[in-house]
Amino acid sequence: MSTLISILVFTIFWLLFILIGWMAAKRYKDKDLIRCCFLLTGVCCWLIWVVTLLMQLNPLTGPRASQKVIFGMMTYWKNSFIHNENDP
């Protein structure tokens, strides 16, 4: 539920940013260029934010090794804790 609320809040924030920029552009001579800048800025910032949020919802995990593989790595690697030598 909190994810949905945060998506709605930030979507409304960036929509308001675009709307205010759209209205503020009426005063200037190059209003189409200013509107385009506000629109692209709002969409790109929202997209970066939503992609970052969605990546954090389902993080990738690293490779998983079986116990045989882990024991084999500890046996063959010279700096593993199985050997009598101290690690550097």
Side-chain angles (χ1 to χ4, degrees):
M1 185 68 176
S2 65
T3 304
L4 182 63
I5 292 172
S6 64
I7 289 175
L8 287 175
V9 166
F10 277 97
T11 301
I12 291 170
F13 171 77
W14 286 112
L15 285 175
L16 285 175
F17 175 81
I18 292 170
L19 184 67
I20 291 170
W22 193 276
M23 289 182 190
K26 290 181 182 179
R27 299 180 183 180
Y28 298 101
K29 183 176 154 184
D30 295 330
K31 63 182 175 182
D32 292 334
L33 178 66
I34 295 172
R35 285 179 178 171
C36 181
C37 290
F38 272 102
L39 182 69
L40 285 175
T41 301
V43 169
C44 289
C45 287
W46 178 82
L47 192 61
I48 288 171
W49 177 82
V50 80
V51 166
T52 304
L53 176 77
L54 292 176
M55 283 191 307
Q56 290 175 3
L57 288 178
N58 190 13
L60 298 174
T61 57
R64 297 182 185 190
S66 66
Q67 290 222 323
K68 279 185 174 182
V69 173
I70 294 172
F71 184 72
M73 286 190 291
M74 289 188 316
T75 309
Y76 290 114
W77 289 349
K78 292 182 180 180
N79 62 350
S80 67
F81 66 89
I82 264 184
H83 299 290
N84 293 331
E85 303 171 0
N86 290 335
D87 289 334

